[in-house]
């Protein structure tokens, strides 16, 4: 319910807008209007203004009473009416539907995960995959048309090297794996240092791919398919989806018009043989467009990609979920697009995130400390299985539940903290049933479901039975669900939902231990079951936005 709006209407004074109404501090009702800022204009003390507003309030059936305290006008809502409104809203989703109606017809492009072909899919990719995958679900949930894009790193001279290595040493008698490709690449790097002829062969093989020679292209496609087949297994497990896998190679024939336009608009300069857009006046180093040998760069491809997305999807927003390290790259690309006169450049956002370490150790692909994402997921699921065996050995479908708990734990790890913070992955932490974790949310949800199963059908609910402090605290929190999801979308922060769900679970657990739910008193039972159902449904829906499944039993 949008009480801020209702209260503003009630006050009915042109000076007072919705944003002036705040949530009341503990013990001062539900909402408050601080009246200090009107003192100048109205030439009255804030306290007097608050009492004037109070005595002029119109119809007030959703308000129990108001109170003037200092310069504040405090609103105490009628708890019963609010309980009624919140339970109805949870059942028919009126507030979420209203948000969806506002967003109908809007499109957001989300570039996420964006892995590199023939490179390991390691835990460093978790953040982009999880944050982007979650934002994709959040925007869709809020009525947007979301386009998930995996901007594959599938172009570059390394593919020539890999091709040369594969031709030389590859075992063609059995299917290629991602690990084979890594090994071949490492071997090529080592041997080509001693053998210049080999290095040369890497360059010629790349030229063959560039020229589209069938044999070379076939093997290059094999590298791509092999990588995607392995990576897709992880995506499937995590519930991650894409609408497009157009990667860097897709833009090979789409850069020339961009380069021509940059030249025509006199934005480029030649510097040491390279073509660049100088950005000194914006405090940035030049953006490289082509190297002295004419080769295009990562930035050139992103310029083409941004234009392609604008033309193809006509987006309202276009997001890039990429680590903070690429901050400068995106600033440069966005600036160049602005200089080209693209009015949609303002709709591009780099959604950044911090670094991941693993069990206290920093990750470095170069120094061989590679932790594969698939292994982390499998280990977490195995450990979840062991915990379940210990806690609840008679549970049915243990494997499926362990899968949900393990994957959920990894997802909450990635999404539970503000994006920008560095985070450390530790099995004990992510699998704790008591901390701020997915298992805690899943356990609370399963607890609700088990109460509901025991309680049976819910008869007519008397909302006045849910106005005590513990029940009402849950109701108040449920009331801010739609706003919270909207807020998380506007900040590109799944952690806002994570925080909300942890608070909801904590408030529910406080309610749960404060009194029995199923008792002789039928009316009280119905009311408490109705609250339990609203919490269970909200937890489940919110967790889905964080790519966390909510098993019925645990
Ligand atoms: N493949 C790149 C990397 O791993 C990330 C690509 C991000 N997306 C983009 N449009 N540049 O660093």
């Amino acid at each position: 319910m949008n009480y801020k709006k209702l209260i503003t209407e009630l006050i009915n004074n042109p000076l007072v807008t919705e944003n002036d109404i705040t949530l009341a501090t503990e013990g001062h009702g539900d909402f408050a209007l601080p009246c200090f800022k009107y003192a100048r204009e109205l030439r009255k003390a804030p306290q007097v203004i608050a009492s004037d507003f109070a005595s002029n309030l119109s119809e007030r059936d959703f308000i129990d009473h108001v109170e003037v305290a200092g310069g504040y006008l405090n609103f105490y809502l009628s708890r019963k009416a609010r309980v009624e409104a919140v339970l109805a809203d949870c059942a028919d989703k009126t507030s979420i539907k209203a948000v969806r109606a506002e967003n109908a017809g809007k499109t957001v492009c989300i570039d996420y995960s964006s892995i590199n072909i023939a490179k390991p899919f390691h835990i460093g990719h978790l953040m982009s995959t999880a944050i982007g995958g979650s934002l994709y679900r959040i925007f869709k949930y809020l009525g947007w048309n979301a386009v998930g894009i995996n901007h594959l790193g599938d172009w570059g001279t390394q593919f020539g090297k890999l091709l040369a290595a594969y031709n030389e040493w590859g075992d063609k008698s059995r299917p290629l794996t991602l690990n084979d490709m890594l090994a071949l690449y490492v071997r090529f790097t080592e041997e080509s240092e001693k053998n210049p002829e080999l290095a040369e062969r890497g360059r010629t093989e790349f030229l063959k791919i560039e020229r589209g020679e069938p044999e070379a292209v076939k093997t290059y496609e094999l590298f791509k398919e092999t990588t995607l087949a392995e990576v897709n297994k992880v995506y499937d497990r995590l519930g991650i989806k894409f609408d497009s896998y157009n990667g860097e190679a897709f833009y090979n024939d789409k850069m020339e018009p961009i380069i021509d336009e940059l030249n025509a608009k006199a934005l480029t300069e030649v510097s040491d043989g390279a073509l660049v857009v100088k950005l000194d006046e914006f405090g940035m180093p030049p953006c490289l467009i082509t190297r002295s040998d004419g080769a295009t760069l990562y930035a050139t491809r992103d310029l083409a990609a941004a234009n392609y997305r604008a033309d193809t999807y006509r987006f309202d927003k276009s997001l890039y979920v990429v680590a903070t390290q690429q901050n400068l790259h995106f600033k440069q690309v966005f600036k160049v697009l602005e200089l080209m006169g693209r009015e949609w450049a303002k709709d591009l956002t780099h959604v950044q995130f911090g670094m991941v370490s693993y069990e206290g150790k920093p990750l470095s692909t170069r120094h061989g400390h590679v932790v594969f994402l698939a292994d982390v997921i499998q280990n977490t699921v195995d450990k979840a299985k062991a915990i379940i065996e210990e806690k609840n050995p008679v549970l049915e479908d243990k494997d499926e539940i362990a899968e949900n708990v393990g994957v959920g734990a990894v997802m909450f790890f990635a999404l539970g903290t503000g994006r920008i913070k560095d985070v450390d992955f530790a099995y004990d932490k992510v699998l704790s049933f008591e901390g701020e974790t997915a298992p805690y949310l899943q356990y609370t949800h399963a607890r609700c479901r088990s109460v509901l199963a025991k309680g049976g059908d819910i008869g007519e609910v008397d909302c006045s039975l849910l106005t005590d402090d513990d029940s009402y605290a849950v109701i108040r929190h449920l009331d801010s669900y739609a706003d919270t999801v909207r807020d998380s979308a506007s900040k590109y922060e799944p952690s806002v939902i994570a925080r909300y769900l942890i608070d909801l679970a904590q408030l529910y657990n406080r309610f749960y231990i404060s009194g029995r739910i199923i008792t002789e008193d039928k009316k009280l039972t119905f009311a408490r079951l109705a609250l339990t159902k609203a919490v269970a449904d909200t937890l489940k829906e919110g967790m889905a936005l964080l790519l966390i499944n909510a098993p019925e039993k645990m």
Side-chain angles (χ1 to χ4, degrees), residues 134 137-138 141 415 481 485 497 541-547:
S134 172
R137 287 202 186 179
I138 294 169
Y141 182 76
L415 301 171
Y481 175 68
V485 181
I497 295 175
E541 237 172 89
M543 282 154 78
L545 298 177
L546 304 178
L547 302 145

Side-chain angles (χ1 to χ4, degrees), residues 111 114 116 151 298 302 320 322 326 330:
D111 176 325
S114 299
N116 299 321
H151 185 79
Y298 183 50
D302 261 327
Y320 297 82
V322 186
Q326 295 196 25
F330 286 107

